PDB file of all heavy atoms in Angstrom:
ATOM      1  N   ALA R 223     -66.880-153.902-147.553  1.00  0.00           N
ATOM      2  CA  ALA R 223     -66.016-152.940-148.219  1.00  0.00           C
ATOM      3  C   ALA R 223     -65.823-153.250-149.767  1.00  0.00           C
ATOM      4  O   ALA R 223     -65.876-152.339-150.604  1.00  0.00           O
ATOM      5  CB  ALA R 223     -64.686-152.816-147.589  1.00  0.00           C
ATOM      6  N   ALA R 403     -46.188-145.968-171.925  1.00  0.00           N
ATOM      7  CA  ALA R 403     -47.223-145.095-172.378  1.00  0.00           C
ATOM      8  C   ALA R 403     -48.106-144.559-171.107  1.00  0.00           C
ATOM      9  O   ALA R 403     -48.857-143.601-171.241  1.00  0.00           O
ATOM     10  CB  ALA R 403     -48.118-145.697-173.446  1.00  0.00           C
ATOM     11  N   ARG R 471     -20.705-162.431-153.330  1.00  0.00           N
ATOM     12  CA  ARG R 471     -19.643-163.378-153.043  1.00  0.00           C
ATOM     13  C   ARG R 471     -20.036-164.471-151.983  1.00  0.00           C
ATOM     14  O   ARG R 471     -19.649-165.598-152.045  1.00  0.00           O
ATOM     15  CB  ARG R 471     -18.413-162.706-152.553  1.00  0.00           C
ATOM     16  CG  ARG R 471     -17.779-161.662-153.576  1.00  0.00           C
ATOM     17  CD  ARG R 471     -17.126-162.378-154.806  1.00  0.00           C
ATOM     18  NE  ARG R 471     -16.657-161.405-155.716  1.00  0.00           N
ATOM     19  CZ  ARG R 471     -15.946-161.751-156.889  1.00  0.00           C
ATOM     20  NH1 ARG R 471     -15.941-163.056-157.199  1.00  0.00           N
ATOM     21  NH2 ARG R 471     -15.564-160.972-157.688  1.00  0.00           N
ATOM     22  N   ARG R 494     -39.292-135.903-148.157  1.00  0.00           N
ATOM     23  CA  ARG R 494     -38.462-136.391-147.259  1.00  0.00           C
ATOM     24  C   ARG R 494     -36.992-135.982-147.465  1.00  0.00           C
ATOM     25  O   ARG R 494     -36.584-136.324-148.669  1.00  0.00           O
ATOM     26  CB  ARG R 494     -38.662-137.831-146.985  1.00  0.00           C
ATOM     27  CG  ARG R 494     -37.845-138.596-145.908  1.00  0.00           C
ATOM     28  CD  ARG R 494     -38.314-138.113-144.510  1.00  0.00           C
ATOM     29  NE  ARG R 494     -37.610-138.769-143.426  1.00  0.00           N
ATOM     30  CZ  ARG R 494     -38.110-139.840-142.725  1.00  0.00           C
ATOM     31  NH1 ARG R 494     -39.288-140.254-143.089  1.00  0.00           N
ATOM     32  NH2 ARG R 494     -37.314-140.315-141.857  1.00  0.00           N
ATOM     33  N   TRP R 670     -15.707-163.939-189.044  1.00  0.00           N
ATOM     34  CA  TRP R 670     -15.035-163.098-190.091  1.00  0.00           C
ATOM     35  C   TRP R 670     -16.202-162.180-190.783  1.00  0.00           C
ATOM     36  O   TRP R 670     -17.298-162.699-190.870  1.00  0.00           O
ATOM     37  CB  TRP R 670     -14.397-163.987-191.171  1.00  0.00           C
ATOM     38  CG  TRP R 670     -13.332-164.928-190.492  1.00  0.00           C
ATOM     39  CD1 TRP R 670     -13.536-166.004-189.815  1.00  0.00           C
ATOM     40  CD2 TRP R 670     -11.936-164.602-190.618  1.00  0.00           C
ATOM     41  NE1 TRP R 670     -12.279-166.486-189.362  1.00  0.00           N
ATOM     42  CE2 TRP R 670     -11.284-165.688-189.833  1.00  0.00           C
ATOM     43  CE3 TRP R 670     -11.056-163.723-191.156  1.00  0.00           C
ATOM     44  CZ2 TRP R 670      -9.905-165.775-189.635  1.00  0.00           C
ATOM     45  CZ3 TRP R 670      -9.742-163.831-190.983  1.00  0.00           C
ATOM     46  CH2 TRP R 670      -9.128-164.825-190.293  1.00  0.00           C
ATOM     47  N   LYS R 689     -12.296-152.158-173.959  1.00  0.00           N
ATOM     48  CA  LYS R 689     -13.245-153.339-173.735  1.00  0.00           C
ATOM     49  C   LYS R 689     -14.503-152.774-172.986  1.00  0.00           C
ATOM     50  O   LYS R 689     -14.412-152.112-171.949  1.00  0.00           O
ATOM     51  CB  LYS R 689     -12.573-154.328-172.772  1.00  0.00           C
ATOM     52  CG  LYS R 689     -11.327-155.038-173.541  1.00  0.00           C
ATOM     53  CD  LYS R 689     -10.571-156.054-172.671  1.00  0.00           C
ATOM     54  CE  LYS R 689     -11.471-157.371-172.483  1.00  0.00           C
ATOM     55  NZ  LYS R 689     -10.634-158.447-172.139  1.00  0.00           N
ATOM     56  N   SER R 713     -18.569-155.371-178.218  1.00  0.00           N
ATOM     57  CA  SER R 713     -17.833-155.435-177.081  1.00  0.00           C
ATOM     58  C   SER R 713     -16.441-154.836-177.091  1.00  0.00           C
ATOM     59  O   SER R 713     -15.690-154.689-176.146  1.00  0.00           O
ATOM     60  CB  SER R 713     -17.613-156.844-176.738  1.00  0.00           C
ATOM     61  OG  SER R 713     -16.857-157.591-177.775  1.00  0.00           O
ATOM     62  N   ASP R 810       9.007-158.807-175.500  1.00  0.00           N
ATOM     63  CA  ASP R 810       9.905-158.986-174.341  1.00  0.00           C
ATOM     64  C   ASP R 810       9.154-158.758-173.119  1.00  0.00           C
ATOM     65  O   ASP R 810       8.940-157.572-172.788  1.00  0.00           O
ATOM     66  CB  ASP R 810      11.191-158.188-174.400  1.00  0.00           C
ATOM     67  CG  ASP R 810      12.200-158.483-173.397  1.00  0.00           C
ATOM     68  OD1 ASP R 810      11.793-158.832-172.239  1.00  0.00           O
ATOM     69  OD2 ASP R 810      13.375-158.277-173.520  1.00  0.00           O
TER      70      ASP R 810
END
Side-chain angles (χ1 to χ4, degrees):
R471 300 286 182 185
R494 186 66 177 260
W670 300 76
K689 295 180 75 160
S713 58
D810 183 330

